[in-house]
Amino acid sequence: MSPITQELATAYGGLTALATAIIYAGSFASVKVSAVKGNLLVVHRSLIIAALVSLVLQRPPKDKASQSHKLIPGDEDEESDDEDELEEYIDSETALWYPVLASIVLLGLWAVIKWLDDPELINLIGSVMFGLTGIGAVYSTANAFVRWALGPTLINKFFPRYNLTLTRGVREIFEWKFHSVSVMILPSSVLPSILFVLNRPFEFRRFAINGGILAISFGFNALKLVKLESVRTGVYLLVGLFFYDIWWVFGTSVMVDVATTLNLPIKLLWPKNAHMTHPKDFVLLGLGDVVVPGLFIAQALRFDQARFLALAPVSRARMPFPKPYFTATLLSYPVALLGTMGIMHYTNHPQPALLYLSPACLLSFFLVAAVRGEVKEAWDWVAERKEAIDPDKLPEAQPIVADGAHAGHAPATLVPPMENAAAASGTEDEGTTTGVVQKTRTGGKKRRGGQ
């Protein structure tokens, strides 16, 4: 049993800090709730799929929060809003089945690896798939970071805001709201994916840098876009994957074989030294060991917010709120992860991180609930969710004749029928029918109130 050197301790600490930072940022980004308009955005669905697939390949080791308490800004006001994003919810039934489905996928990958017996070909195909998906992931992550760093005031002042809208007839099927700074980020978002795919012949240093950027982006977007339906769902997920991780690490060599064969952005790396030319020069953590506990920690933050807003949802919408559940679960994560690394080092055997992370997150959450006498409230709580709207299911558009129009003349605006008469206004008002926000524009600047 060798002692932990200063270099190794620094590497363990750096990797733990990186994983915790991803969870922290992704949790606050998940608090933002944007209305999803039009068809489901394919790029965001691909991000979700890529992030969830990475959970299988673990290598063992509009509610708004206050701007001042958010690492990643949400819709602080109407004019700071950026592109709408798709949210995916994991329900309890899916959570119960996930260990089974993950096991099937893992076994399938292992069988393909053994059948093809060509790791280079498998890694090339996987690199192209993750590289293409990574463009959207890196763009979304970089855009969120830049918006947080500059703040809505500077962005609205120096970067023009645009709306890109696609319509089919009179129906709006897609809308992208963005500032010019978002367009500036796009070219640099492509670079990590290109360098990752073109890493031939394979060099581990280049893989560590570019693959690390992609892995961080996948982890952040998974926490931002994928949400647990309830605290109960989180318990089912963590408990199920607790046994999944134990079996596939201690019971067989399948997970280790797959993880060591695939050089894909499904793990976080931190260098032990300056060489960085070989896997032994890094400590690493499976991306699933970040995202799975992170989903529960992010849910704890939204539970804190929901309890706070339940008292006075309108007046408290932009106020800072206490975060006892989030704080407890977040602090338990690095403690458990460092414990996992210590046990792995002294036993010289791979450890299933969820063996330690799942109990730590669950115990810390329910300990707070027990002290506050809120165990039943937490267990019964279900998050409010906004469903995406399929434009094909919207009612047929009916003409509304604006003031001053004559019979027989073309109407000024065509909108679906709605009860809110303000939708016929020439300014940008919002009328809602079956949860759909309809907008009409004059091309002028957005007005507020009676101005």
Side-chain angles (χ1 to χ4, degrees):
M1 181 180 66
S2 61
I4 297 180
T5 64
Q6 182 176 355
E7 285 186 344
L8 190 57
T10 302
Y12 285 157
L15 185 60
T16 301
L18 176 61
T20 306
I22 293 173
I23 293 175
Y24 181 87
S27 297
F28 277 94
S30 75
V31 171
K32 169 190 170 184
V33 179
S34 297
V36 179
K37 302 168 61 178
N39 288 341
L40 302 181
L41 304 186
V42 176
V43 63
H44 287 127
R45 174 148 291 182
S46 65
L47 295 182
I48 293 169
I49 293 173
L52 290 179
V53 167
S54 69
L55 307 188
V56 181
L57 307 178
Q58 306 173 51
R59 180 180 176 94
K62 233 163 196 187
D63 288 338
K64 302 175 184 177
S66 169
Q67 175 186 343
S68 62
H69 283 68
K70 294 182 68 176
L71 177 63
I72 305 299
D75 299 338
E76 268 62 55
D77 54 52
E78 291 178 301
E79 298 189 10
S80 70
D81 193 13
D82 227 333
E83 49 263 39
D84 293 329
E85 289 170 332
L86 172 68
E87 296 171 347
E88 291 284 345
Y89 283 83
I90 299 177
D91 57 25
S92 295
E93 183 179 357
T94 303
L96 287 171
W97 277 101
Y98 189 81
V100 177
L101 299 175
S103 297
I104 294 173
V105 173
L106 182 63
L107 278 173
L109 288 172
W110 180 79
V112 170
I113 291 172
K114 296 299 182 182
W115 177 58
L116 289 179
D117 196 24
D118 187 356
E120 182 63 25
L121 176 61
I122 298 173
N123 281 314
L124 178 60
I125 296 173
S127 296
V128 173
M129 294 175 60
F130 276 90
L132 291 174
T133 308
I135 296 173
V138 175
Y139 167 77
S140 178
T141 304
N143 188 39
F145 177 79
V146 170
R147 289 171 59 199
W148 165 72
L150 296 179
T153 302
L154 288 178
I155 288 180
N156 292 328
K157 183 176 180 180
F158 295 105
F159 299 97
R161 183 174 182 269
Y162 301 95
N163 283 19
L164 177 63
T165 304
L166 298 179
T167 60
R168 184 170 59 205
V170 295
R171 295 177 180 175
E172 182 180 294
I173 61 174
F174 173 78
E175 182 181 31
W176 182 29
K177 296 179 290 185
F178 60 95
H179 291 82
S180 57
V181 66
S182 299
V183 180
M184 299 176 188
I185 293 171
L186 186 57
S188 60
S189 302
V190 180
L191 188 60
S193 291
I194 294 177
L195 295 177
F196 179 78
V197 174
L198 297 181
N199 185 19
R200 301 290 183 274
F202 181 82
E203 292 183 10
F204 202 85
R205 181 195 296 264
R206 290 160 59 185
F207 165 77
I209 296 173
N210 298 303
I213 294 173
L214 294 179
I216 291 171
S217 300
F218 284 134
F220 171 78
N221 279 278
L223 296 175
K224 179 182 179 182
L225 301 175
V226 182
K227 301 183 179 182
L228 301 177
E229 186 180 54
S230 63
V231 172
R232 184 180 311 182
T233 302
V235 174
Y236 294 159
L237 185 67
L238 286 180
V239 171
L241 291 177
F242 169 85
F243 291 106
Y244 164 90
D245 223 17
I246 292 174
W247 168 251
W248 290 113
V249 173
F250 289 148
T252 73
S253 63
V254 171
M255 182 181 289
V256 175
D257 291 342
V258 172
T260 53
T261 301
L262 299 180
N263 291 314
L264 299 174
I266 55 177
K267 46 199 170 189
L268 298 180
L269 300 167
W270 194 275
K272 298 179 185 177
N273 50 56
H275 300 297
M276 298 191 299
T277 57
H278 192 273
K280 292 183 179 180
D281 295 327
F282 294 84
V283 292
L284 53 93
L285 178 69
L287 191 58
D289 296 326
V290 179
V291 175
V292 171
L295 289 174
F296 187 79
I297 294 171
Q299 183 74 323
L301 177 63
R302 293 191 297 274
F303 178 63
D304 282 328
Q305 185 193 39
R307 291 177 56 262
F308 181 73
L309 293 179
L311 300 177
V314 176
S315 61
R316 294 182 169 216
R318 295 176 181 270
M319 294 173 59
F321 56 93
K323 308 172 184 65
Y325 291 94
F326 173 71
T327 301
T329 53
L330 182 68
L331 291 177
S332 71
Y333 179 84
V335 173
L337 185 57
L338 287 172
T340 305
M341 293 176 177
I343 294 173
M344 179 184 65
H345 178 80
Y346 286 113
T347 61
N348 196 29
H349 190 281
Q351 296 294 312
L354 292 181
L355 171 63
Y356 309 94
L357 296 175
S358 290
C361 291
L362 292 174
L363 288 175
S364 61
F365 181 92
F366 284 102
L367 179 61
V368 173
V371 171
R372 298 170 65 92
E374 297 170 346
V375 174
K376 186 178 186 304
E377 178 185 350
W379 185 255
D380 294 338
W381 177 76
V382 177
E384 293 184 5
R385 51 195 291 182
K386 294 188 178 181
E387 301 292 345
I389 303 301
D390 184 354
D392 292 330
K393 297 181 180 179
L394 295 179
E396 291 296 327
Q398 301 292 333
I400 297 179
V401 181
D403 295 339
H406 300 286
H409 287 230
T413 308
L414 289 177
V415 296
M418 58 184 67
E419 296 177 359
N420 190 346
S425 171
T427 59
E428 182 173 296
D429 296 326
E430 296 183 355
T432 305
T433 173
T434 64
V436 185
V437 179
Q438 304 292 343
K439 298 184 179 180
T440 61
R441 298 178 175 82
T442 60
K445 188 175 181 180
K446 187 183 297 183
R447 302 184 191 176
R448 295 180 181 273
Q451 298 179 0

